[in-house]
Amino acid sequence: MSMSFAAWLKKLGIDCASYLNQIPVSTRHTHRSHQALSLAAPAMSACFYWVPFMLHRLGIEVLGLDVLSDTRCAHYRSPRDIIAIKFRCCDRFYACYECHESMADHRAEPWPEAEFAERAILCGACGCLLTISEYLGCNSRCPECEAAFNPGCANHYELYFQKPLS
Ligand SMILES: [Zn+2]
Ligand SMILES: [Zn+2]
Ligand SMILES: [Zn+2]
């Protein structure tokens, strides 16, 4: 139980020096995912490394302006602005639609309802990927770690998702 986080990363073949240097320090504690991993990685008490680490493993890069390790960006920076969304048009994760608008060279394409099973929502608090359906039914709370999401995102619903026919 004494392996350091750095040693642990090294064991996994990850070059942590350059990697960790880029991680903004956050004091956020993540909950279940972190605890679940503590058996395998005792030194993960440095839990603010958890999300960047997960993204690294999943090969996901969250694009955007001034993106922090929990996916908050220059536009949406409250403690609850912690989801990133994969855009259908380019298959890439952005912190928000404004980030996409300012960095992508094309218009954003909302997800059609037929594809709501796509794991397109990333929780910046625990690093889990939610399907669009899970996200839309989660009552602004991550089903994995219970972090609160910004309910105001619903105001921009149609920028990300095609409205289900009702
Ligand atoms: Zn795009
Ligand atoms: Zn943004
Ligand atoms: Zn979560």
Side-chain angles (χ1 to χ4, degrees):
M1 298 294 281
S2 62
M3 189 186 291
S4 73
F5 182 76
W8 186 68
L9 279 185
K10 194 175 170 198
K11 194 174 156 206
L12 293 172
I14 296 170
D15 168 31
C16 67
S18 60
Y19 171 62
L20 294 182
N21 279 341
Q22 299 168 20
I23 298 175
V25 173
S26 137
T27 53
R28 173 183 303 283
H29 278 247
T30 61
H31 315 293
R32 280 185 218 152
S33 302
H34 167 228
Q35 287 161 8
L37 197 87
S38 61
L39 282 177
M44 197 57 90
S45 55
C47 58
F48 43 79
Y49 293 140
W50 169 245
V51 172
F53 172 72
M54 278 303 290
L55 300 187
H56 182 91
R57 293 216 82 181
L58 294 168
I60 293 174
E61 186 187 6
V62 177
L63 303 171
L65 300 178
D66 298 334
V67 180
L68 301 178
S69 62
D70 57 12
T71 82
R72 287 180 295 153
C73 66
H75 311 102
Y76 295 94
R77 227 169 170 76
S78 90
R80 292 189 296 179
D81 290 314
I82 49 169
I83 56 166
I85 298 187
K86 183 162 83 172
F87 280 76
R88 185 174 191 261
C89 40
C90 47
D91 207 37
R92 308 193 79 176
F93 281 85
Y94 280 89
C96 81
Y97 70 94
E98 289 185 53
C99 285
H100 181 278
E101 202 167 87
S102 60
M103 296 173 73
D105 55 2
H106 54 266
R107 289 181 69 91
E109 198 181 310
W111 289 94
E113 195 183 3
E115 294 171 22
F116 279 9
E118 184 77 23
R119 294 203 172 276
I121 312 294
L122 170 80
C123 170
C126 73
C128 72
L129 289 172
L130 305 176
T131 67
I132 296 166
S133 299
E134 283 169 340
Y135 170 67
L136 295 178
C138 80
N139 255 325
S140 299
R141 197 164 278 282
C142 176
E144 221 23 70
C145 74
E146 299 179 0
F149 299 149
N150 189 345
C153 291
N155 299 334
H156 307 129
Y157 182 96
E158 69 284 355
L159 294 168
Y160 301 108
F161 315 114
Q162 280 178 20
K163 287 234 185 246
L165 301 171
S166 54

